[in-house]
Amino acid sequence: MCFSGVMGISKGSVWSVRFSSIALCAWVHGDPRKVVYPTDSSGQFCGQKDTINENKTILFYFNILKCASPIVLINLQCPTTQLCVSKCPDRFATYIDMQGSYRHNKSYWEYYRQFCKPGFNKPWKSVAQVIRDEDCPSMIIPSRPFLKRCFPDFSTKNGILTVANQTTFKDGRGKTRNVTDLREAANGINNVLDARSVGMKIFEDYASSWHWILIGLFIAMIVSLLFLVLLRFTAGVLFWIFILGVIGIIGYGIWHCYWEYDHLQGTPGSDLTIYDIGFQTDFRVYLQLRQTWLAFMIILCIVEVFIILMLIFLRNRIRIAIALLQEGSRAIGYIMSTLFYPIITFVLIAICISYWAVTAVFLSTSGEPVYKVMANQTLCKYANLTCDPETFNTTNVTKLCVGAQCTFAFYGGESFYHKYIFIFQLSNAFVFLWLVNFAIALGQCTLAGAFASYYWAFRKPADIPPCPLFSSFGRAIRYHTGSLAFGSLILAIVQLIRIILEYLDHKLKGTQNSFTRFLLCCLKCCFWCLEKFIKFINRNAYIMIAIYGKNFCTSAKEAFFLLMRNVVRVAVLDKVTDFLLFLGKLLVAGGVGVLAFFFFTHRIPVFTQETPTLNYYWVPLLTVIIGSYLIAHGFFSVYAMCVDTLFLCFCEDLERNDGSTAKPYYMSASLHRILGKKELSPKKAMG
């Protein structure tokens, strides 16, 4: 049994052992070849080494027209014999025509027999018996391999669907069919083939422009670093430019509303109220009313006054927020290695994703072959029932249902392990969320410890300990693993509940129960808010853990109450930081994106000869823009963590110290001047 080793293990490690057991069971029972290779009607893999199908890598359907049957939705398998072949047919032919030509030229049979069951060599057998026993396909059509399966070779000629330039074909049963029937059986395959063509062109574009893409991403990295350096000197300027710009735009809006209100005076119908005209689908009607513009003007005036009052009453807190942003730039300047820590987080998350993906594939392929009765007679009572291919011929099924066969249907099982595959997949997803959150928490705690060592250095940078990032990483691994794992566990549980709610919402999307949909919507909203709140609490708890080394619950409680005692400062700092970093991301991604656009569209004369010829110039362009944004996000996430850490240290510094000689502040001189407190001690001032 897979879980026999769980008993007798301490409670602290029982969950990790259970999750490891799930992965172990998946790796033992799973077989990824079930995903990679197609399976024939005998349950054998096409192309599997050391088997009769070693050189037969493509799956061939005897009668692809049956793939349009509704039974496909029941069994998830096309109800026709499937055979592994070395190549797909390249011509139209029927078994009847082959028999007629066999008497004069046996080469027809030699070509046709490769699409018959292995060992069948009776070309003289009657057509009715061959079709009944499904020894050979009644017809073959020109096909080409796609996803290692033979599909009709569709093409469009003058807007008409054809196969090998023909619009009709013989089905081998005396009927002439239209190729649209094949199109219906292979529904959507033509679009997929077109998508493959587009995919090949995209691959070609990447192959010819990958080095230019790397250059663009390198430029994005340099620009991100420069922005963080400039932010030390321009944080205040950028913020006040933004605020004045918003005030100016709102002021223009007030003037425009007044102009429209005054311009409509005397216009017939403009003095009507919104209540008089009621609800109108054409909202332009409301713009012809003076009351509408008066309402807009009043709303904008209220917003303008609110912003101005906020600036007046919160000016000191805004100055503190800007000073903390500038202090963050100084801290990063002294500990430059922190800018490259996101690479470690990226590697850890990549490992987590790989672990989850491999385990999920093994779990999804853990089933055993399940065989079902496939009968040509629609009234056969044994149709779709499970069967054993080894004993099938000894049963009465073949007598009661002439031509019935026991063919492979899908992978599954009836054991305890196979019944709970879905639960194991859910557990695997939970482990994935837990590990990813732990990797992120480890990064946050490591960075917080490094930046806290900067803040609590009395003389900066002389008192900053050597290798602060490496030391903080060692402390987080050695002393704080349990706290980080516990915080990650809480967040992973909430995220898993959100995934389950999304799954239920998807399943119940077609229901007419309005109350159920409303309840699910409310639950999704509540858990979304809960996830955001827990992320906020965890982030600040990890900072307190890095500073004081206390457990998660104590650190979360102290961080929460510390933030609540400085709630206004928190709100101001959060908004100022979010704006500046968002502006930085847009500047980096937008600036590099514009440069890439001019380059890949041959609009830079100096690089016209070096610019590669592309099928779609937007392929490398989007890659550069998205990659630049992610690079900027990685650098700025370090900056945001630095500012948050310095802010909590700043609040702690204010509560623990008073600026006297006995209890001097650890904050920088610029922050101290903004507070308007008494001067620093001489020793501090010299630092």
Side-chain angles (χ1 to χ4, degrees), residues 201-262:
K201 292 181 180 179
I202 291 175
F203 178 78
E204 292 174 359
D205 290 342
Y206 277 124
S208 59
S209 63
W210 65 269
H211 51 288
W212 293 108
I213 293 175
L214 291 180
I215 292 174
L217 298 180
F218 179 77
I219 294 174
M221 184 181 70
I222 299 300
V223 173
S224 299
L225 289 171
L226 290 176
F227 184 84
L228 290 181
V229 174
L230 292 175
L231 204 59
R232 176 175 178 177
F233 308 100
T234 61
V237 176
L238 288 176
F239 177 77
W240 289 114
I241 288 175
F242 167 73
I243 290 296
L244 293 176
V246 170
I247 292 175
I249 291 173
I250 295 177
Y252 171 79
I254 295 172
W255 176 84
H256 183 77
C257 291
Y258 174 77
W259 183 85
E260 291 284 354
Y261 175 79
D262 184 68

Side-chain angles (χ1 to χ4, degrees), residues 334-443:
Y334 290 128
I335 316 175
M336 288 293 293
S337 57
T338 55
L339 288 175
F340 301 97
Y341 185 85
I343 298 175
I344 299 177
T345 302
F346 173 79
V347 172
L348 293 177
I349 292 177
I351 294 173
C352 296
I353 294 175
S354 302
Y355 169 84
W356 165 78
V358 171
T359 305
V361 170
F362 273 89
L363 280 172
S364 62
T365 58
S366 295
E368 299 174 350
V370 175
Y371 298 85
K372 288 194 174 185
V373 177
M374 186 179 65
N376 292 326
Q377 301 177 11
T378 56
L379 298 179
C380 178
K381 64 180 181 179
Y382 296 101
N384 296 323
L385 296 180
T386 56
C387 57
D388 186 353
E390 296 182 359
T391 61
F392 181 73
N393 292 330
T394 61
T395 62
N396 294 327
V397 178
T398 55
K399 298 179 181 179
L400 299 176
C401 303
V402 180
Q405 299 183 45
C406 183
T407 61
F408 169 79
F410 53 85
Y411 290 100
E414 299 296 330
S415 66
F416 172 84
Y417 174 76
H418 295 106
K419 286 182 178 179
Y420 291 94
I421 289 291
F422 177 77
I423 302 299
F424 296 152
Q425 287 281 24
L426 207 60
S427 301
N428 183 43
F430 175 69
V431 174
F432 167 71
L433 295 174
W434 193 357
L435 292 176
V436 168
N437 288 324
F438 179 81
I440 296 174
L442 178 62

Side-chain angles (χ1 to χ4, degrees), residues 30 77 100 166 177 184 259 291 299 330 358 410 416 459 493 498 515 559 591 644 647:
Q77 188 80 353
Q166 296 189 28
R177 308 282 291 269
E184 182 180 351
W259 183 85
Q291 188 184 64
I299 293 173
R330 294 191 191 95
V358 171
F410 53 85
F416 172 84
R459 294 177 301 175
I493 292 174
R498 287 195 62 203
F515 176 75
D644 289 345
F647 176 71

Side-chain angles (χ1 to χ4, degrees), residues 63 65 252 448-449 462 502 507 516-517 555 593 652:
N63 188 357
L65 292 172
Y252 171 79
E502 291 289 346
K507 288 294 184 182
T516 303
R517 295 200 303 271
S555 299
E652 279 283 298

Side-chain angles (χ1 to χ4, degrees), residues 656-677:
R656 291 169 50 183
N657 304 308
D658 55 10
S660 62
T661 305
K663 293 183 178 181
Y665 287 126
Y666 284 81
M667 67 185 71
S668 63
S670 59
L671 280 173
H672 190 273
R673 284 193 298 269
I674 291 174
L675 290 178
K677 302 276 179 95

